[in-house]
Amino acid sequence: MTIESALKTLTKTNVPPNTNDWSVEDSSVLYGLNRWGENYFSINQKGHINVSPKGSNNKKIDLMDLVQELESRNLKLPLLIRFDDILEDRLNRLHEAFQQAINQYKYKGKYQGVFPIKCNQHRHVVEELMTCGRHWNFGLEAGSKAELLIALSLIQDSKALLICNGYKDERYIETTILARQLGRQPIVVIEQTTEVQRIIQASRNIGAAPLIGIRAKLSSRSSGRWGASVGATAKFGLSIPEILTTVEQLRSANLLNDLRLLHFHVGSQINDIAILKDALQEAGQIYIELNRLGAPMQYLDVGGGLGIDYDGSQTSTEASTNYSLQNYANDVVATIKECCEANSIRVPTLVSESGRAIASHFSVLVFNILSKSVVPAKIPSIKENEPLIIRNLRETLALIKKISKNTEVNSSQLQESWNDAIKFQDDALSAFRLGYLGLSERAMAEQLTWACAKEVVERLSSCSLIPEDLKTLRYRLAGTYYANLSIFRSAPDTWAIDQLFPIMPIHRLNEEPKQLGHFADLTCDSDGKLTRFIDNGQIKPLLELHELKPNEQYVIGMFLGGAYQEVMGNLHNLFGSTNSVHLRLTKDGGYTLDHVVRGNTKADVLEAMEHDPEALLERLRIASEKAIQSGNLKIGDAQRLMDHLETSLRQSTYLHE
Ligand SMILES: *Cc1c(COP(=O)(O)O)cnc(C)c1O
């Protein structure tokens, strides 16, 4: 046996087997999965994430195995996996929660929801919701003319509502009037005073009226990221004086009889249930007044805002909610019932426009890690006649190493040594600039400084009080995991509004993650990174991750991102949409891929920017002909270049190993 092969077997046997006392339960707690996973996500004994598309007691799918099966169908990462059973389950749970509340409070009306299309306009998503929501007479909410087209064509149920929000011109309003004659139930919600006149005009043009709603600008307080959706400065809605004027205008145009709905929306992701209660009370009173003014009111639309507990902390912090779905339904039902009963007014059909709460759970984004950065903290071997700066750094390192890791550490001692290290490192830089230190010596200085940092950090856990300065050292030493992903495309809210999503490896969860790291994406934008992670009501800048293994994929999942992300994602750096699949469980315990939506090719994204892939190829062909003629490029190599370019245009914008 050669020494080399002996070394190889040695290192192999030195790899610790998975017999440490780390369990999958530890991972579940560490990543908060036990808190945010609801009934849909858990960890199996292989250390992989299990998905239970129909809730915990049903069939489970091993997410890592699934990813491998999809990859062997040439559906490469990054990949968006949509579990349509989860979408259906969320829809059912929302309706069941309202039904339960209606029974409990003996509410004499019903609940009838709509899905706000802007939350996820994807054809298969909206179609799926229309199919599984049919027996609930589930409808849609449109916020633009294009969304109205989707809603008009997809709602086939004459009882389902079509709530028309957003800016409206006359054509928008005329379309809704005609759709009413088609047998649909569109309700035009007046969001701005200027729309009243347009509704009156459109009704005169056609000689028929639409169903009309009013969006109230509530003065109840709000909070959270979308708090500005209410109050005097809100973008939409009518103030109380404006509501009164509107009612009179409708009355004189003979349209008051078509005013049926009152709508409010206090903003997305309501964190604190108290906010909803205030809004409900205020809206309840306005509803009663509208009845008194003579409108045959029928619907109270409480808008969206039903929140998601992204970190599972059940708190009123931004990534969480201090209420459950059932609490929400109970409050809506009980508050409105109380309001109406006290005034002897028939209770309305309750409508909600919950988007986030329906669409968040069902899609999981999985991406692979391409590589990981490491700080160059290897201690360089001692050379003869080392410059003083290098010797100083070596001495500092030796001093830090002398401090025991196990007993209580005096942090001022660590701080002092670290200050020295920084000082010597600065000296090394100055000396390099002035030409006294060579490149290899500068490299040694850097390595020794990083080695000092590492030793300091290893002793921090034994300090009773960690100085701020030293705390940041941990972050500087953390690894950057390079992700095959564009956050601008697939998780734009993490960048735009600092939203948190649960992010964690989907395998190796029976191994203790001993590294700390964050993610950098494929874009050349320094903002293209994920550096904020859920931490049970708080936020942590680093995530516990595993060391990469050679020749083995490390696969990360981002969860609860089914609402808003995909559509708001953009083509920054020309990274296009990822592959996505829609998956359904089958009766025999397997699954089928109902839809496979291939991600954008490079030709797609070039065309989106008005480039012509064919013309682009042709220009390069001409250039390569020239190079062949001048003898700089062989014909075979020119062909090879063209093959690469042609293939590349047909392939996805992401990296493939
Ligand atoms: C965005 C929006 C919704 C959806 O809000 P969620 O928080 O996703 O439930 C509902 N109604 C209106 C008017 C909206 O603008």
Side-chain angles (χ1 to χ4, degrees):
M1 196 188 272
T2 64
I3 294 182
E4 266 157 36
S5 62
L7 273 177
K8 261 187 199 151
T9 43
L10 245 185
T11 40
K12 256 191 197 145
T13 48
N14 274 351
V15 174
N18 276 341
T19 50
N20 57 15
D21 47 11
W22 186 263
S23 69
V24 295
E25 285 74 28
D26 293 324
S27 285
S28 184
V29 171
L30 174 67
Y31 296 111
L33 181 73
N34 56 340
R35 282 174 261 118
W36 57 260
E38 299 247 353
N39 294 323
Y40 305 119
F41 305 104
S42 56
I43 306 178
N44 62 28
Q45 285 312 313
K46 270 159 84 182
H48 297 177
I49 286 202
N50 261 347
V51 185
S52 314
K54 294 187 179 206
S56 47
N57 296 327
N58 285 287
K59 156 97 183 144
K60 295 179 170 52
I61 292 181
D62 182 314
L63 188 56
M64 188 63 187
D65 291 353
L66 175 65
V67 165
Q68 277 157 0
E69 286 167 24
L70 292 172
E71 283 203 296
S72 50
R73 291 177 171 96
N74 209 18
L75 288 161
K76 303 284 187 225
L77 300 179
L79 192 56
L80 198 61
I81 307 177
R82 299 206 177 99
F83 295 93
D84 285 348
D85 294 289
I86 296 187
L87 191 65
E88 181 172 8
D89 194 64
R90 294 298 299 172
L91 194 64
N92 288 343
R93 281 203 215 186
L94 176 69
H95 284 85
E96 280 157 14
F98 270 98
Q99 200 47 55
Q100 156 95 23
I102 284 170
N103 297 345
Q104 183 181 337
Y105 294 99
K106 301 198 172 56
Y107 189 81
K108 293 205 186 71
K110 57 178 184 169
Y111 166 76
Q112 211 186 330
V114 294
F115 179 71
I117 300 181
K118 82 160 186 288
C119 189
N120 194 328
Q121 297 95 334
H122 244 271
R123 172 181 157 199
H124 301 306
V125 177
V126 189
E127 283 183 354
E128 194 63 39
L129 283 170
M130 285 297 93
T131 309
C132 26
R134 187 76 189 242
H135 62 288
W136 308 104
N137 300 126
F138 191 62
L140 294 169
E141 183 260 4
S144 67
K145 290 205 278 184
E147 288 183 357
L148 177 65
L149 286 176
I150 298 179
L152 275 178
S153 83
L154 288 190
I155 296 183
Q156 312 249 316
D157 172 3
S158 60
K159 292 203 179 110
L161 296 174
L162 197 181
I163 307 284
C164 304
N165 287 332
Y167 293 98
K168 298 164 209 72
D169 54 18
E170 232 170 273
R171 196 177 284 272
Y172 185 134
I173 295 164
E174 282 192 10
T175 310
T176 63
I177 300 175
L178 295 168
R180 188 179 176 187
Q181 294 174 339
L182 195 73
R184 303 278 190 274
Q185 285 215 70
I187 304 184
V188 180
V189 179
I190 302 173
E191 312 218 33
Q192 291 180 318
T193 48
T194 50
E195 286 168 5
V196 185
Q197 214 45 53
R198 248 171 260 149
I199 289 179
I200 294 172
Q201 190 54 49
S203 304
R204 279 194 195 127
N205 294 351
I206 297 188
L211 292 167
I212 302 171
I214 287 182
R215 176 165 176 172
K217 199 183 267 188
L218 300 185
S219 53
S220 311
R221 74 208 153 97
S222 188
S223 72
R225 180 67 196 49
W226 289 273
S229 306
V230 297
T233 56
K235 187 166 156 191
F236 294 114
L238 306 188
S239 65
I240 300 297
E242 286 168 344
I243 291 180
L244 291 175
T245 316
T246 299
V247 167
E248 290 322 313
Q249 283 173 304
L250 291 177
R251 194 194 305 281
S252 32
N254 243 343
L255 289 174
L256 193 57
N257 210 28
D258 299 290
L259 176 58
R260 306 286 171 85
L261 174 142
L262 176 69
H263 168 50
F264 71 88
H265 174 67
V266 293
S268 205
Q269 184 67 10
I270 299 171
N271 310 107
D272 186 355
I273 190 86
I275 302 232
L276 177 76
K277 290 188 199 199
D278 283 359
L280 281 167
Q281 283 178 337
E282 190 180 348
Q285 293 306 326
I286 301 174
Y287 184 84
I288 286 160
E289 293 300 330
L290 287 172
N291 269 287
R292 291 202 175 125
L293 288 169
M297 298 298 285
Q298 239 179 311
Y299 302 100
L300 182 71
D301 175 356
V302 300
L306 175 53
I308 288 291
D309 198 354
Y310 291 98
D311 70 3
S313 66
Q314 300 181 4
T315 56
S316 60
T317 49
E318 268 195 21
S320 186
T321 56
N322 66 358
Y323 59 91
S324 67
L325 176 56
Q326 193 60 56
N327 297 149
Y328 178 90
N330 288 353
D331 274 356
V332 173
V333 170
T335 313
I336 299 307
K337 181 191 172 194
E338 215 169 276
C339 239
C340 290
E341 271 185 358
N343 293 281
S344 311
I345 280 181
R346 197 160 53 95
V347 294
T349 292
L350 296 167
V351 179
S352 84
E353 306 174 347
S354 309
R356 189 184 293 276
I358 290 175
S360 290
H361 293 76
F362 88 117
S363 89
V364 178
L365 176 73
V366 279
F367 55 92
N368 54 315
I369 298 302
L370 299 164
S371 62
K372 170 182 178 256
S373 74
V374 273
V375 294
K378 194 164 161 261
I379 299 169
S381 50
I382 299 180
K383 295 213 177 81
E384 267 176 56
N385 299 328
E386 286 188 337
L388 180 64
I389 295 173
I390 303 292
R391 278 179 297 163
N392 282 341
L393 275 166
R394 284 197 194 278
E395 249 167 55
T396 310
L397 180 62
L399 273 176
I400 300 171
K401 278 184 157 175
K402 263 196 211 145
I403 303 171
S404 160
K405 287 185 195 174
N406 302 321
T407 52
E408 167 88 27
V409 171
N410 179 352
S411 63
S412 66
Q413 215 181 337
L414 279 178
Q415 177 83 63
E416 195 181 324
S417 300
W418 177 241
N419 290 348
D420 287 347
I422 296 270
K423 166 82 177 72
F424 297 137
Q425 159 79 350
D426 284 349
D427 288 351
L429 263 183
S430 311
F432 176 74
R433 268 192 234 111
L434 296 172
Y436 296 124
L437 217 59
L439 201 60
S440 69
E441 284 150 340
R442 176 175 162 184
M444 286 169 84
E446 268 180 38
Q447 285 174 309
L448 286 166
T449 313
W450 280 117
C452 288
K454 254 186 145 166
E455 295 294 333
V456 168
V457 164
E458 280 171 20
R459 284 159 180 78
L460 286 182
S461 53
S462 316
C463 289
S464 49
L465 201 84
I466 306 175
E468 277 309 305
D469 198 24
L470 297 187
K471 268 189 206 160
T472 62
L473 256 192
R474 285 186 72 202
Y475 306 134
R476 285 169 53 191
L477 279 175
T480 300
Y481 284 69
Y482 295 97
N484 196 12
L485 176 81
S486 157
I487 61 143
F488 300 96
R489 174 70 256 174
S490 299
D493 278 349
T494 61
W495 161 69
I497 55 171
D498 279 346
Q499 184 170 340
L500 295 172
F501 292 100
I503 298 171
M504 64 181 286
I506 66 165
H507 61 137
R508 296 177 67 181
L509 297 166
N510 47 4
E511 266 175 65
E512 183 175 359
K514 292 190 173 160
Q515 308 290 314
L516 283 175
H518 51 243
F519 302 101
D521 79 354
L522 286 178
T523 68
C524 301
D525 192 314
S526 52
D527 276 355
K529 56 192 181 184
L530 294 168
T531 53
R532 299 167 84 255
F533 304 99
I534 59 162
D535 189 16
N536 196 17
Q538 303 193 320
I539 298 161
K540 57 186 179 187
L542 294 172
L543 189 65
E544 292 78 359
L545 293 165
H546 301 89
E547 192 55 84
L548 300 185
K549 285 185 189 165
N551 305 322
E552 191 188 301
Q553 282 211 95
Y554 190 44
V555 184
I556 308 294
M558 189 187 101
F559 296 83
L560 310 188
Y564 302 110
Q565 299 319 294
E566 243 210 305
V567 150
M568 302 219 300
N570 59 53
L571 286 175
H572 193 16
N573 249 180
L574 295 191
F575 287 101
S577 58
T578 66
N579 288 323
S580 64
V581 298
H582 284 252
L583 184 142
R584 271 282 191 183
L585 290 181
T586 53
K587 287 209 176 70
D588 60 8
Y591 64 82
T592 59
L593 296 183
D594 281 352
H595 310 283
V596 170
V597 185
R598 292 273 168 191
N600 291 147
T601 63
K602 289 181 207 84
D604 291 339
V605 297
L606 289 174
E607 279 171 353
M609 298 294 130
E610 304 292 324
H611 295 283
D612 178 351
E614 286 304 320
L616 192 146
L617 275 182
E618 181 60 10
R619 275 202 295 276
L620 285 163
R621 192 193 58 76
I622 292 169
S624 71
E625 274 309 313
K626 268 194 188 150
I628 291 170
Q629 271 154 32
S630 62
N632 291 329
L633 187 67
K634 292 199 203 88
I635 292 184
D637 287 342
Q639 191 48 44
R640 194 181 182 135
L641 174 63
M642 294 312 289
D643 283 349
H644 278 321
L645 294 170
E646 278 176 34
T647 315
S648 185
L649 280 172
R650 288 196 304 270
Q651 284 181 332
S652 111
T653 54
Y654 294 91
L655 264 56
H656 298 303
E657 279 149 66

